[in-house]
């Protein structure tokens, strides 16, 4: 589910004595201490911690990380320090533009780092494979809208994707286009499976995801439930 594990991103301008951390990850003391050491080795300290979404593999370590660093943790929400679509995070000598990208979860955010022509996507777009639409919190219509929004960003300066899992993606536009095509293909396969008599999530799963390793079928079930809800709303 997490590929090679959760990516924790440290963002700071050259020569800065402050650092911004995105997704400290799970509550793993050795990992959190490692992040602190990397920052300290650069003569800096973490001043701001932000989250792409609330899934525990990204956020569970945030309270302990805040204790270790004294940094302010900024998730999406309604508190005065929280993030929203269109917010600009200014810290560590850099600016991050906040882009709401719901779909994987309702609270998923992405961040544009214009200085590097990069986009930090959390789980909305991964460095390898495709992501799950985590129904019922995740919602397919929102996810498709988010992919369209990301595609527009790749035509407006974003070249690289820094994902929440997997390797850096050097061709952002090509990957987002692939994600959009993949979702359209899967949705058509689900439509066909239903027309052929597939019954419910498991019936669709056995027909459409037969080529997918069974260890990811639990995630596939969530995406199928999201696809079925999407189709039901449009009948």
């Amino acid at each position: 589910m997490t590929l090679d594990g959760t990516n924790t991103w440290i963002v700071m301008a050259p020569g800065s004595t402050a650092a911004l951390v995105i997704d400290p990850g799970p509550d793993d003391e050795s990992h959190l201490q490692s992040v602190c050491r990397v920052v300290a080795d650069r003569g800096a300290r973490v001043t701001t911690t932000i989250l792409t979404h609330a899934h525990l593999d990204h956020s569970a370590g945030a309270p302990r990380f805040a204790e270790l660093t004294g940094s302010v943790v900024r998730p999406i929400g309604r508190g005065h320090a929280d993030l929203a679509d269109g917010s600009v995070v200014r810290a560590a000598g850099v600016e991050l533009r906040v882009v709401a990208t719901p779909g994987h979860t309702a609270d998923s955010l992405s961040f544009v780092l214009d200085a590097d022509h990069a986009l930090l996507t959390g789980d909305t777009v991964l460095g390898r494979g495709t992501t799950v639409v985590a129904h019922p919190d995740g919602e397919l219509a929102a996810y498709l809208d988010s992919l369209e929004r990301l595609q527009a960003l790749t035509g407006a300066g974003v070249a690289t994707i820094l994902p929440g899992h997997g390797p850096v993606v050097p061709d952002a536009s090509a990957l987002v286009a692939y994600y959009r095509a993949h979702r359209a293909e899967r949705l058509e396969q689900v439509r066909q499976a239903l027309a052929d008599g597939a019954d419910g999530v498991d019936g669709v799963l056995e027909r459409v995801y037969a080529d997918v390793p069974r260890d990811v079928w639990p995630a596939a079930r969530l995406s199928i439930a999201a696809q079925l809800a999407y189709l039901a709303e449009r009948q």
Side-chain angles (χ1 to χ4, degrees), residues 19 30 38-39 62 69 81 85 89 103 106 111 127 139 148 160 165 201 234:
S30 63
V38 169
V39 174
T69 62
D85 186 46
V89 179
F111 304 99
E139 198 261 333
E148 185 174 351
T160 304
H165 303 280
V201 170
R234 283 152 181 79

Side-chain angles (χ1 to χ4, degrees), residues 95-174:
E95 288 189 354
L96 292 178
R97 289 190 285 123
V98 181
V99 182
T101 49
H104 168 68
T105 60
D107 66 344
S108 289
L109 300 174
S110 296
F111 304 99
V112 179
L113 180 59
D114 286 312
D116 283 347
H117 305 288
L119 179 70
L120 296 113
T121 55
D123 284 359
T124 299
V125 175
L126 306 180
R128 185 173 68 251
T130 56
T131 197
V132 61
V133 178
H135 182 83
D137 182 43
E139 198 261 333
L140 184 57
Y143 187 67
L144 295 176
D145 288 344
S146 291
L147 290 181
E148 185 174 351
R149 196 170 190 190
L150 295 188
Q151 189 76 75
L153 289 172
T154 66
V158 168
T160 304
I161 286 175
L162 310 179
H165 303 280
V168 171
V169 178
D171 190 342
S173 180

Side-chain angles (χ1 to χ4, degrees), residues 1 3 55 63 72 84 86 92 105 161 179 186 210 214:
M1 287 288 289
L3 300 180
H55 276 174
V72 176
T105 60
I161 286 175
Y179 262 58
R186 281 298 194 206
R214 285 182 176 260

Side-chain angles (χ1 to χ4, degrees), residues 8-11 19-24 35 39 46 48-50 65:
T8 294
W9 295 99
I10 301 168
V11 182
L20 181 155
V21 167
I22 298 171
D23 287 348
V35 176
V39 174
V46 179
T48 305
T49 301
I50 60 179
F65 192 66

